[in-house]
Amino acid sequence: MNSLDEQLAHRLHDIVDGEQDSVPPVEALLDRGRRARRRRSTAIVGATCAFLALGAATAVTVAALPAADRPAVTAEGAARPTSPAMRLVSAATASENLSYRMRLTQSGGGVSYEGAFDPRTATGYVRAPQDDSVMTELLIDGVRYEGGERPQGTPAADKGPGETYGRYGQYPGRYDRLSLYGDGNDVLGAVSPDPAALFAALQRADATITENPDGTLHFAYATESAAGSSSTSGDVTVDADGRIATVALSSTWQSTAKGRLDTGTADVTLELFDYGVEVQVERPTDVVQIKQ
């Protein structure tokens, strides 16, 4: 292909044609951990799990092209794609197959989780603060561990880099993504394990992609199910290297899943930064095998 637009169009087809089923959610580690995880997910969407349940975008694992075959997309010297959708494909391509740090915050609720991930080695971690602990997921060369840490500031929480506290459960099998305390069926769940999945997730949701006056990208989509409906919009910013930097999402939903009408709003922002960072995670010392 002779032009960047043609290469990106080809890449768009690669994303769509290369979709795979997302990794099925794992069984809960411990009853306490499962309850805490549900409480955290519920808080993010305004006291119900409808936001995640109603998300129509299915998380996908995008097969990364070898570096030699992948179109080079840089912030300098490359012609900017003309359409907002192609700009998003360009940013997703530039973000692909690189390690990064991530942080998700919700309006009025502080940090919901933070972590780091390297898709090349399937290694990373994510920590979600709870009322009396920090629920933690570790992924080391595709092996998944889940457990709890004490909050920062407590004596037992003082430990060296990469050290862990408490008992962890080790899950059978191998994984290529963090579960992020959900099944990844929403847009943010898709982009967290792999920024290159953002466009595919929005396409699944039949989202409209436009450009804001300040040059950031805007998306909007609506979902309906037997249990309710939601309306979601968001903005995507790109860093100086042409990679996805933030995804800010606002959703209004209603649900009858519990036999009554529940409504609410959710405003969350996912930050992706420090692309190319070295991600090292130490295996916990106190590990029990989880049977599934």
Side-chain angles (χ1 to χ4, degrees):
M1 293 189 177
N2 298 322
S3 71
L4 179 62
D5 280 356
E6 289 175 335
Q7 291 175 336
L8 290 174
H10 179 70
R11 176 59 188 150
L12 187 155
H13 289 297
D14 287 344
I15 291 175
V16 176
D17 296 340
E19 290 179 3
Q20 304 171 7
D21 292 336
S22 60
V23 177
V26 297
E27 294 294 325
L29 167 61
L30 301 168
D31 285 343
R32 180 176 179 278
R34 182 169 60 243
R35 290 194 299 270
R37 195 160 57 204
R38 287 173 180 163
R39 287 198 302 270
R40 195 59 185 175
S41 296
T42 298
I44 293 176
V45 297
T48 87
C49 64
F51 176 53
L52 295 179
L54 294 174
T58 301
V60 297
T61 302
V62 179
L65 293 175
D69 298 330
R70 193 167 62 240
V73 180
T74 60
E76 297 180 2
R80 194 170 87 171
T82 56
S83 72
M86 293 301 287
R87 284 189 58 203
L88 185 56
V89 173
S90 174
T93 301
S95 309
E96 185 180 39
N97 206 31
L98 291 172
S99 58
Y100 56 90
R101 299 187 193 278
M102 58 188 165
R103 181 188 302 115
L104 184 139
T105 56
Q106 57 178 335
S107 105
V111 175
S112 296
Y113 66 70
E114 58 185 353
F117 184 61
D118 188 342
R120 296 165 299 184
T121 60
T123 296
Y125 68 90
V126 62
R127 295 187 174 97
Q130 308 295 317
D131 293 337
D132 59 353
S133 63
V134 180
M135 297 304 298
T136 304
E137 177 184 355
L138 310 175
L139 199 63
I140 305 173
D141 293 329
V143 179
R144 176 174 290 164
Y145 306 86
E146 289 188 7
E149 298 285 334
R150 290 194 177 182
Q152 289 185 341
T154 59
D158 296 332
K159 53 186 181 296
E163 294 180 350
T164 58
Y165 166 86
R167 174 163 292 182
Y168 277 72
Q170 177 180 334
Y171 287 85
R174 301 188 71 83
Y175 303 85
D176 62 0
R177 53 170 287 170
L178 295 159
S179 70
L180 297 179
Y181 302 97
D183 58 11
N185 283 339
D186 62 295
V187 168
L188 289 177
V191 79
S192 295
D194 181 3
L198 176 59
F199 180 82
L202 290 174
Q203 186 191 45
R204 282 293 189 114
D206 195 23
T208 299
I209 302 174
T210 58
E211 183 174 318
N212 293 316
D214 63 359
T216 58
L217 298 169
H218 182 79
F219 62 84
Y221 62 89
T223 65
E224 289 189 15
S225 71
S229 62
S230 70
S231 176
T232 303
S233 64
D235 298 295
V236 180
T237 63
V238 177
D239 66 16
D241 295 314
R243 299 169 183 145
I244 295 172
T246 64
V247 181
L249 185 148
S250 179
S251 180
T252 300
W253 53 264
Q254 62 179 20
S255 171
T256 57
K258 297 182 179 180
R260 65 175 187 270
L261 178 63
D262 291 319
T263 63
T265 60
D267 296 287
V268 296
T269 299
L270 176 67
E271 302 170 75
L272 305 174
F273 53 98
D274 285 350
Y275 280 97
V277 67
E278 182 178 1
V279 180
Q280 293 184 341
V281 181
E282 183 174 311
R283 185 181 184 274
T285 55
D286 188 357
V287 174
V288 294
Q289 299 294 321
I290 301 298
K291 296 181 180 179
Q292 292 184 313

